[in-house]
Amino acid sequence: MRIDKETKWHILLGCALILSLSPIVFALSSSFKELSEAYSNVFGLPQHPTIGNYIQVFSRLPLLQITTNTLLIAAAVTVFKTVTSTLAAYAFVYFNFKGKNVLYFILISTIFIPFTVTMIPNYLTISQLGFRNNILGVILPQLSDATGIFLIRQAMRTVPRSLIEAARLDKIGHMRILGDIVFPLVKPAVVSSGIMFFINSWNEYVWPVLILKDKANFTLPLALQLFISSEGGTDFTIAMAVSVITMIIPLLLYIIFQRYIISTFTSSGIKG
Amino acid sequence: MKEIVFENVCKSYGKTTVIDNLNLSINPGERLILLGASGCGKSTTLRLIAGLEEITSGNLYMHGQKVNDVVSGERNVSMVFQNYALYPHMTVADNITYGLKIHKLFKEEIGQRLKAALDMLELNGLENRKPKDLSGGQRQRVALARAVVKRGDFLLLDEPLSNLDAQLRGHARKELVKIHQTYGQTFVYVTHDQVEAMTVGERIALMHEGKLQMLDTPYNVYNRPANVFTAKFIGSPSTNIFEAHYAERSIFLGKQAARLPELWSAHIGKNGCREFYLGIRPEHIRLEREKTDSSFAGIVKYVEEYGNRCGIYFEMEDQEVVAICDRTEFRPGDRVYFSLAADKMHVFDKETTMNIGYPEVYCEHFYQYQSV
């Protein structure tokens, strides 16, 4: 039997979909199981579904506070990184100044510096500033992002320079050009970068675990860790319930902004 | 005073000189065409006027004031870009009025200017469309409308018709002249198309390798080329240029000699040049079957049919020569004798390639004709 090209693609994409979805299905299904069933019926759907794990999570942790902390940190980091990346990208594309290329090269090379290298200097700075055990301490070192500048700059380079020149001839200032002309044309790239910033911040573990000490200041990944570390035992059905809660907000965001994310990957420049 | 004056202007990118010591004066309210081949510096010249490029050395004056350091927004210039530069996410009406809205003109004034532009450029009914929903001709008209609503003192156009098909181009040329007559702005138009230059321009500035070759009316650029480059660039097929020398009242093209009319003998003798370039347009060559004392011989290579006329390409001592006539019975391989219309010849200095001028009587005829 001959399989046509389209069917082959469907089979391949189907496999990729199963691989991507299976951990989520596993987490979702485990979160509704008793711990004993989770060990006897590892991959199957729950035989006796229970919301006991969710009740446990809410009773053992200030989950609303933790979710709010995570949301506050992720939102602040996203807003700051998006704004600074957009402004920096605009300057790198449309301004001519001495040393522009060298500065851009240095900036981009910071992408390749491992987190562990900057972790200790950042920790010492935040400690000196007195922001340990404070969500501000998590936010402060993350107000700008070289990857975001790179991505948004690439998108801005596809905007024909003549559009900006036409606006300059009309005596229109740079902030207006950015807001009225450039931003609408690179919105998919900006929104995608924003979502990337949000998800990275939402899932971040190492930096918050260094800074935040009290449970009331914790973020969701730290809360999750409580149930799979020696501190809280390996109560993994509860951990899966925390995982599911952790997933909800990023998933909602993805659903709201998916058209921008898709258009970032499919667009190939600005068409007049 | 809406004039523009370039004074010894140079523009370089690193070691590459794009504009080389440009001296050019554009009169208030005139239609000046910057004409030249790709890379000759004509678009850069336009961008210097717009303030989109910085001058490397020299001075640029607009309104009688030096504007070297004046930013583009302060020069009261509107411009039509080659790619039209329409904002893709805005409607036609928003594209046209965006600049006016930002500068907080009264709503009534904006509406009035928009309506006038839409009427003039036949864009009514397209106000709410996005640029991607317009044809090339419509986009070009929107770009023009955006430029005219600003009512700037200077209207700059960078090859605005190059993306249109031949039929639309003819219509658009007339439209441009109409716009100029309506608003009377100083109009600087860049093109590489000599037909556009001839039909739209009141004066043509012909450029080559960053240097101004000639600045004059379309009629003079065609009939009184300042140098060999101008003679060859303007006209299609281009002017025949021969290496010639003069001796004993005869002109020698290669080894062949023909009698030179008395007027030219005297003129060349007066100028003291013995070796020169001789230029003659294809339509000013007369073809004959029989040799005369003022004709040269050649062999017909091929004949090009243009419908209303035909071009006869023939070879004279390894040089290809082209003549244009209404009808021809010549066929490839035929021997042909050709003579040159004395009042249409151009003589250029061999060293400088500059036109040495014309016998006085031809100049008189020329000016009489021009004034008609």
Side-chain angles (χ1 to χ4, degrees), chain A residues 235-250:
Chain A
D235 202 350
F236 96 90
T237 50
I238 298 178
M240 289 301 108
V242 181
S243 291
V244 171
I245 294 165
T246 310
M247 271 191 292
I248 291 169
I249 288 177

Side-chain angles (χ1 to χ4, degrees), chain A residues 254-266:
Chain A
Y254 178 77
I255 291 163
I256 295 166
F257 292 110
Q258 63 171 326
R259 72 191 175 98
Y260 292 112
I261 296 168
I262 290 165
S263 64
T264 301
F265 292 112
T266 54

Side-chain angles (χ1 to χ4, degrees), chain B residues 167-220:
Chain B
Q167 225 176 356
L168 266 177
R169 241 184 259 184
H171 180 70
R173 286 202 296 260
K174 284 184 218 148
E175 220 161 50
L176 288 172
V177 174
K178 194 172 84 180
I179 284 172
H180 177 250
Q181 285 165 348
T182 309
Y183 294 103
Q185 295 153 309
T186 302
F187 191 96
V188 187
Y189 184 109
V190 163
T191 183
H192 64 270
D193 182 329
Q194 45 176 297
V195 178
E196 253 172 65
M198 291 284 178
T199 50
V200 176
E202 289 172 338
R203 284 200 303 163
I204 293 174
L206 179 65
M207 296 186 72
H208 178 56
E209 292 178 346
K211 290 194 171 90
L212 182 65
Q213 301 294 316
M214 186 171 184
L215 172 67
D216 214 324
T217 61
Y219 187 89
N220 284 1

Side-chain angles (χ1 to χ4, degrees), chain B residues 302-322:
Chain B
Y302 62 98
V303 177
E304 254 179 13
E305 185 60 58
Y306 304 134
N308 56 346
R309 295 181 305 168
C310 49
I312 299 113
Y313 289 79
F314 52 95
E315 203 168 63
M316 189 206 73
E317 295 183 10
D318 295 335
Q319 179 171 357
E320 189 179 74
V321 185
V322 57

Side-chain angles (χ1 to χ4, degrees), chain A residues 8 15 27 40 93 101 114 120 147 158 166 172 181-183 197 200-201 213 231 236 239 257 263-264:
Chain A
K8 279 183 197 166
C15 293
S40 56
V93 177
N101 292 334
I120 293 167
T147 313
T158 66
I172 292 165
I181 296 163
V182 178
F183 180 73
F197 299 146
N200 285 347
S201 172
K213 299 296 166 206
E231 206 179 320
F236 96 90
F257 292 110
S263 64
T264 301

Side-chain angles (χ1 to χ4, degrees), chain B residues 219-220 224 360-372:
Chain B
Y219 187 89
N220 284 1
R224 290 291 185 263
E360 217 163 288
V361 64
Y362 295 148
C363 293
E364 281 165 20
H365 289 160
F366 176 73
Y367 290 121
Q368 272 171 19
Y369 179 70
Q370 239 197 326
S371 63
V372 175

Side-chain angles (χ1 to χ4, degrees), chain A residues 159-173 176-177 179-185 270-272, chain B residues 47 50 52 72-74 77-79 81 83 85-90 98-99 102-104 131-132 139 146 150:
Chain A
V159 176
R161 191 165 276 271
S162 56
L163 298 189
I164 282 75
E165 290 174 343
R168 297 293 294 157
L169 282 171
D170 278 339
K171 209 178 162 184
I172 292 165
R176 265 206 176 273
I177 293 177
D180 291 353
I181 296 163
V182 178
F183 180 73
L185 299 173
I270 307 295
K271 292 169 192 78
Chain B
R47 292 171 64 80
L52 299 172
S72 52
E74 304 284 351
V77 161
S78 37
M79 184 162 170
F81 291 81
N83 64 358
L86 300 178
Y87 308 126
H89 55 296
M90 293 188 197
Y98 175 64
I102 296 293
H103 294 300
K104 297 195 167 62
K132 68 174 176 355
R139 286 180 203 182
R146 182 173 68 183
K150 188 178 171 187

